[in-house]
């Protein structure tokens, strides 16, 4: 007998991290909207995680047992090919949804058929699920409509687990870029935002967890973020967004060089600077900052210590009336 097609397919890639996986799955079970299927792509997890996944006793849950790739974009795409719902939702295996999340999004999308995808406001929690309070955490707005320019300028941010998107639109535009280890979601958001209005839910129905077990690192993040903007430039077709894209590419190149220098990869930082000079010279603030960081990385340790002490003294003197 053929299975009934669900309204929403939920895509969850996972690799170990059982202490976070359990509450993530529980937050799916707790949804007030129940017409969903959960497709978990297991990226070669260990025995404990596999035992938990094998014990999930719900016909709406399917587990795909995959060899380890270390690339959530690849795992997510494999799971997406199995999706049958009219809409697709994404949930990382360490993040959480509040119970009304799917219901609120689907109800709002049905009221606005011109909007083919949706996102919610998000809050940040720690490894124990407690809210993270930090001055640097920004309360990002969740505007609706055409938001590509806002995304490019980081005037708003979309958290991957907050997204609900038409599967038909996703199939037409293509899924995640598998060359990217990180930031693959941003690349997809840019493409979606160029083809459809978005529906913003101004409630923090998605909880993003910060903890010490994240994969990747700063260098990979900067490298892949730069690739995202390079790809957007290649496909922009001379649009009015090109100046923004060029500036953002220069900023990503500078960030990559600084990150490489800070992590001791001095020659890589130097190579990044030389390679990016042709498209970064018009943005001296970005380029010179990266050049200074790289130069400091090449300086002897004793010189770097003297510079730090000098700067500390200047800060102290500047605070004395």
């Amino acid at each position: 007998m053929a299975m009934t097609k669900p309204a929403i397919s939920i895509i969850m890639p996972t690799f170990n991290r059982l202490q976070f996986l359990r509450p993530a799955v529980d937050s799916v079970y707790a949804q007030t909207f129940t017409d969903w299927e959960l497709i978990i792509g297991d990226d070669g997890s260990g025995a404990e995680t596999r035992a938990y996944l094998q014990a999930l006793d719900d016909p709406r849950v399917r587990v795909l047992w995959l060899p380890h790739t270390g690339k959530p974009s690849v795992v997510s795409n494999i799971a997406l090919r199995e999706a049958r719902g009219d809409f697709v939702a994404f949930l990382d295996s360490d993040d959480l949804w509040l119970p009304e999340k799917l219901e609120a999004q689907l109800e709002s999308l049905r009221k606005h058929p011109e909007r083919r995808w949706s996102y919610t406001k998000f809050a940040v929690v720690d490894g124990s699920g407690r809210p993270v309070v930090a001055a640097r955490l920004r309360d990002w707005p969740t505007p609706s409509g055409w938001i590509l320019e806002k995304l490019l300028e980081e005037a708003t941010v979309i958290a991957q687990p907050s997204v609900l998107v038409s599967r038909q639109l996703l199939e037409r535009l293509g899924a995640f870029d598998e060359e990217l280890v990180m930031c693959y979601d941003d690349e997809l958001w840019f493409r979606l935002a160029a083809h459809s209005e978005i529906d913003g839910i101004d409630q923090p129905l998605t909880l993003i967890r910060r903890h010490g077990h994240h994969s990747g690192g700063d260098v990979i993040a900067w490298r892949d973020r730069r690739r995202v903007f390079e790809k957007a430039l290649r496909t922009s077709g001379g649009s009015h967004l090109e100046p923004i894209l060029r500036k953002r590419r220069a900023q990503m190149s500078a960030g990559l060089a600084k990150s490489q220098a800070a992590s001791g990869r001095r020659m890589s930082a130097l190579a990044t600077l030389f390679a990016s000079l042709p498209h970064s010279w018009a943005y001296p603030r970005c380029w010179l900052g990266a050049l200074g960081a790289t130069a400091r990385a090449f300086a002897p340790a004793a010189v770097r210590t003297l510079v730090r002490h000098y700067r500390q003294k200047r800060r102290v003197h500047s605070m004395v009336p």
Side-chain angles (χ1 to χ4, degrees):
M1 185 175 65
M3 295 179 64
T4 304
K5 187 177 74 169
I8 298 175
S9 296
I10 303 164
I11 304 302
M12 180 186 289
T14 190
F15 176 64
N16 296 324
R17 299 195 301 198
L18 183 56
Q19 73 273 32
F20 302 135
L21 174 61
R22 290 179 189 273
V25 172
D26 288 344
S27 77
V28 174
Y29 285 138
Q31 290 299 299
T32 55
F33 182 84
T34 59
D35 186 15
W36 49 259
E37 66 174 353
L38 172 60
I39 306 172
I40 302 174
D42 181 72
D43 193 29
S45 293
E48 189 178 10
T49 299
R50 290 176 67 88
Y52 165 74
L53 293 174
Q54 287 167 345
L56 293 175
D57 186 20
D58 190 314
R60 297 173 297 176
V61 179
R62 284 186 285 159
V63 181
L64 308 179
W65 305 105
L66 308 172
H68 184 62
T69 66
K71 298 183 75 172
S73 57
V74 173
V75 177
S76 296
N77 282 350
I78 293 172
L80 274 168
R81 289 194 282 272
E82 299 291 323
R84 298 176 297 119
D86 293 326
F87 291 90
V88 173
F90 304 99
L91 180 59
D92 290 336
S93 61
D94 54 349
D95 295 325
L96 303 161
W97 287 340
L98 295 189
E100 304 82 10
K101 194 261 188 191
L102 294 180
E103 183 177 10
Q105 287 184 281
L106 197 57
E107 182 180 341
S108 186
L109 278 172
R110 286 171 172 167
K111 292 177 181 176
H112 302 94
E114 75 281 6
R115 301 172 183 174
R116 308 283 303 281
W117 62 314
S118 167
Y119 70 130
T120 77
K121 190 181 286 291
F122 64 92
V124 180
V125 298
D126 64 16
S128 300
R130 293 185 296 264
V132 173
V133 180
R136 290 186 299 173
L137 287 179
R138 181 174 170 182
D139 185 22
W140 296 102
T142 51
S144 297
W146 297 98
I147 65 163
L148 178 56
E149 191 164 339
K150 292 183 176 69
L151 286 178
L152 295 176
E153 294 182 330
E154 290 191 341
T156 191
V157 168
I158 296 177
Q160 182 179 337
S162 77
V163 169
L164 182 69
V165 57
S166 159
R167 182 165 64 91
Q168 187 179 53
L169 178 62
L170 201 56
E171 289 176 345
R172 181 161 65 88
L173 297 182
F176 296 117
D177 185 337
E178 295 185 2
E179 292 184 2
L180 300 170
V181 177
M182 302 175 71
C183 307
Y184 51 86
D185 50 344
D186 292 328
E187 191 276 332
L188 177 57
W189 307 158
F190 292 168
R191 285 187 282 127
L192 290 173
H195 287 83
S196 170
E197 295 184 51
I198 195 170
D199 192 56
I201 304 294
D202 195 30
Q203 303 173 56
L205 301 178
T206 303
L207 304 180
I208 303 300
R209 199 189 296 269
R210 282 190 175 179
H211 54 83
H213 304 279
H214 289 289
S215 58
D218 283 348
V219 171
I220 294 174
W222 283 110
R223 181 202 67 190
D224 282 2
R225 186 79 167 147
R226 184 177 67 171
R227 288 177 177 174
V228 168
F229 284 101
E230 287 174 340
K231 183 175 180 178
L233 263 172
R234 289 195 301 269
T235 58
S236 64
S239 76
H240 69 286
L241 297 174
E242 278 203 3
I244 298 174
L245 291 169
R246 292 193 194 99
K247 183 177 181 179
R248 299 293 285 143
R249 178 180 59 179
Q251 291 171 335
M252 297 307 113
S253 295
L256 175 59
K258 289 179 181 179
S259 183
Q260 289 168 327
S263 61
R265 305 180 191 183
R266 297 180 298 178
M267 297 308 298
S268 295
L270 204 57
T272 296
L273 281 175
F274 279 118
S276 64
L277 181 58
H279 61 254
S280 295
W281 65 268
Y283 309 97
R285 182 175 297 181
C286 300
W287 197 85
L288 292 175
L291 179 62
T294 304
R296 288 193 294 274
F298 276 92
V303 173
R304 295 199 298 270
T305 300
L306 285 173
V307 170
R308 278 198 301 272
H309 288 166
Y310 173 72
R311 287 179 172 171
Q312 288 170 357
K313 284 184 177 180
R314 288 193 62 182
R315 280 197 292 269
V316 170
H317 288 314
S318 68
M319 290 187 291
V320 175

